[in-house]
Amino acid sequence: KLLLNDFLQSSITLHICFFLQKLNNMKKNILLLSGIFILQLANAQVEKGSIFTGGSIGSSNSSGEGNSGEKSSGFSWNFSPQIGKAIAQHKVIGVQLIAGGNANENTNTSGNTQKNTGNQFGAGVFYRQYFPIYKKWMFYGQTNANLNFTNSSSTLQSIKYQQAKGVSGALTASLGITYQVSKKLWLEAGLSDLIGITYSHQKSENLSPAGAITSSFKTNTVTANFNLNSSNNFAIGFRWIIPAKG
């Protein structure tokens, strides 16, 4: 009977020690998870009321030569300064200005060169949503509603033979990634205008070699696009996000 009592007491003591050890491990895990949660709260955030400023700039180059000796080259650029305000954590609305241009040149086998140039200027509104990834890194998605004014011209052997002016409205969406360099400075890279729908109205004029208008015509178009060509829509930029006071 004494041996049985000793055995029971030892067994109860072992179970109590095992339970206390498990409880201690649970506390450690809870503290670890709490620490990770607190660390995540200390990571990059865009708080409600923060002022959002900055802009993006992008460009692309292209060139090629055909089997028969014809050559082509192109260049485009865009610049878009923005200012906005965080209406909630990681959610920003604002306004932006838009500027851009392009130039393309084609030379045939006879040596005749045709050049097309164009510029656009406009303004719009945007909504941006940030998605935290890890520490100072975040993804973002942005939708834009823009109104643009355009002008373009075409020349052949340096003689202008056509010119055009137009206006367009567009709804577009962009994706990117951003990194918080300091408390206020953020750097980002993304693909602009990945998807969109555009309505445009344009008036074109054909010109004589002397520059007189020989004829004109108007066009109205609606286009939808899904563009993954990163060489054309890749852009880098910065954001200066001033945290809300209080």
Side-chain angles (χ1 to χ4, degrees), residues 64 70-74 103-109 111-116 155-157:
E70 62 272 17
K71 298 179 180 180
S72 64
S73 62
N104 300 284
E105 183 175 306
N106 299 281
T107 303
N108 61 24
T109 54
N112 296 320
T113 299
Q114 176 179 312
K115 295 182 179 180
N116 301 301
T155 63
L156 181 62
Q157 295 298 88

Side-chain angles (χ1 to χ4, degrees), residues 64-136:
E65 184 171 347
N67 295 329
S68 301
E70 62 272 17
K71 298 179 180 180
S72 64
S73 62
F75 173 76
S76 65
W77 64 273
N78 63 80
F79 174 61
S80 179
Q82 300 175 330
I83 185 169
K85 186 174 183 178
I87 58 173
Q89 187 180 49
H90 302 320
K91 299 178 181 180
V92 179
I93 60 171
V95 296
Q96 60 188 356
L97 297 178
I98 301 164
N102 62 81
N104 300 284
E105 183 175 306
N106 299 281
T107 303
N108 61 24
T109 54
S110 300
N112 296 320
T113 299
Q114 176 179 312
K115 295 182 179 180
N116 301 301
T117 60
N119 295 288
Q120 68 165 339
F121 302 95
V125 295
F126 68 89
Y127 169 78
R128 173 175 288 209
Q129 171 81 58
Y130 285 99
F131 303 93
I133 307 173
Y134 176 72
K135 290 187 177 180
K136 297 184 178 182

